[in-house]
Amino acid sequence: MNQVNTCLKRIFTVFNIFFAIVGGIIIGLALLSQVYTNINGNVEGRTTSLLLLYVVGATTMVIAILGAYGAHKENRGCMIAFLVCMVIGSLMLLRAGIVLASNRSQVEPTLEEKLKLLVPLNQAPQEAQDMANNLQTLAQCCGLFSYEDWRSDIPDSCVCNDEEVMEDLCQTVSYTSIMLTQKNIYTKPCFPVIIHYLLLIIDIMVGIIFSLATLALLGLALSSLIIHQMRHPNRATVVLSVPAIFAPSMPKYQELQNPPPKYQESPPHY
């Protein structure tokens, strides 16, 4: 005998299918990140980040499968385990989202302080110079804070082509190495570009985290309803109705105008 409302089970199944899809997307992003970092060389913190993505994606899929199985088989143990996971997950996600949002304002000064340690760029480690050159080519910028970060060794990644000069993206600078040299280089520095995209990524992450927390709270509510129905299978479904005390009655003025009929006395018989 089914103890859980069929409509509720279907809604919960759809929820878990969507939850499993989210887990699959996270695993897919981890795979794409792994391929990208393999092509572009080692990135600091790569292994830890990829492992975290794989764990989060796999855990999400396992929890979704657990919830769907528990609802389909009406297994109270699976549903209680799913409920506990939703409680823990929602609390962790809310905490992570609040911490990330509150620390957003500290990102720019912290990153600026770290990047200033790489200046001058022409004396920075080769790995840092390669990353700066790639960034300058992609973002059409020169130097971290100014083209002077390169001193007199401005690389070719800063140099504009004729089309970019016509688009007013460049400036002409003169510097002396062995002889006086002029170059058309990108006007904007790279640090504003870096901080713009970094803050954009943080905002997206905060949105994703709070969205997942909302889904976790929804899963918590649905699983609680299912467990409640499993514990009280014979309880009738509660239907909201208007109490009798609020039932519509005849207005007072109608009562005055239309008094209730009185019994007429029969005429006397003589």
Side-chain angles (χ1 to χ4, degrees):
M1 179 179 178
N2 293 333
Q3 298 178 341
V4 182
N5 183 274
T6 304
C7 182
L8 181 59
K9 287 173 65 174
R10 289 177 180 174
I11 294 174
F12 190 71
T13 301
V14 172
F15 168 82
N16 282 286
I17 291 173
F18 178 75
F19 215 59
I21 292 173
V22 171
I25 292 173
I26 294 174
I27 294 176
L29 289 175
L31 289 171
L32 289 176
S33 300
Q34 185 173 4
V35 172
Y36 178 79
T37 51
N38 285 336
I39 294 174
N40 292 275
N42 292 326
V43 178
E44 185 179 357
R46 167 181 177 268
T47 304
T48 304
S49 301
L50 290 176
L51 181 61
L52 181 62
L53 285 175
Y54 281 125
V55 170
V56 171
T59 304
T60 302
M61 294 190 71
V62 169
I63 293 174
I65 294 171
L66 178 68
Y69 174 82
H72 179 69
K73 296 294 184 179
E74 297 188 5
N75 188 306
R76 188 182 300 177
C78 291
M79 292 305 304
I80 292 175
F82 180 87
L83 176 62
V84 172
C85 292
M86 289 295 100
V87 172
I88 296 174
S90 60
L91 291 176
M92 291 177 62
L93 287 168
L94 288 172
R95 181 180 182 276
I98 292 171
V99 170
L100 190 60
S102 61
N103 291 333
R104 183 183 184 277
S105 59
Q106 302 298 322
V107 171
E108 183 172 353
T110 303
L111 182 62
E112 182 178 359
E113 183 179 353
K114 290 185 177 181
L115 291 180
K116 281 183 177 179
L117 298 176
L118 299 176
V119 177
L121 288 173
N122 60 332
Q123 298 178 6
Q126 188 60 43
E127 183 180 355
Q129 292 188 31
D130 293 340
M131 293 181 64
N133 283 319
N134 292 334
L135 178 62
Q136 289 171 163
T137 302
L138 292 174
Q140 297 180 333
C141 56
C142 185
L144 294 174
F145 306 98
S146 169
Y147 71 91
E148 295 179 350
D149 293 343
W150 290 101
R151 299 297 187 262
S152 59
D153 297 328
I154 299 177
D156 292 337
S157 59
C158 282
V159 178
C160 304
N161 56 37
D162 294 337
E163 182 179 351
E164 291 167 340
V165 172
M166 296 296 295
E167 293 176 357
D168 199 23
L169 299 175
C170 309
Q171 61 181 337
T172 302
V173 297
S174 301
Y175 63 94
T176 302
S177 53
I178 299 176
M179 56 183 297
L180 184 64
T181 307
Q182 286 188 338
K183 284 186 177 181
N184 290 323
I185 63 172
Y186 295 116
T187 303
K188 65 181 179 182
C190 294
F191 180 74
V193 178
I194 296 172
I195 200 65
H196 169 74
Y197 285 104
L198 183 58
L199 292 177
L200 178 62
I201 291 171
I202 291 175
D203 291 339
I204 293 173
M205 289 179 62
V206 170
I208 291 174
I209 288 173
F210 280 112
S211 298
L212 291 175
T214 304
L215 286 176
L217 292 173
L218 178 60
L220 188 154
L222 291 174
S223 58
S224 298
L225 288 174
I226 291 176
I227 293 172
H228 176 75
Q229 289 193 1
M230 288 180 179
R231 289 180 175 177
H232 306 281
N234 297 323
R235 179 172 294 182
T237 304
V238 177
V239 179
L240 295 178
S241 59
V242 180
I245 191 172
F246 296 110
S249 58
M250 182 181 295
K252 297 298 182 181
Y253 66 89
Q254 290 189 9
E255 294 180 1
L256 294 175
Q257 293 180 359
N258 302 309
K262 298 180 178 180
Y263 291 104
Q264 296 181 358
E265 297 181 358
S266 58
H269 297 282
Y270 298 100

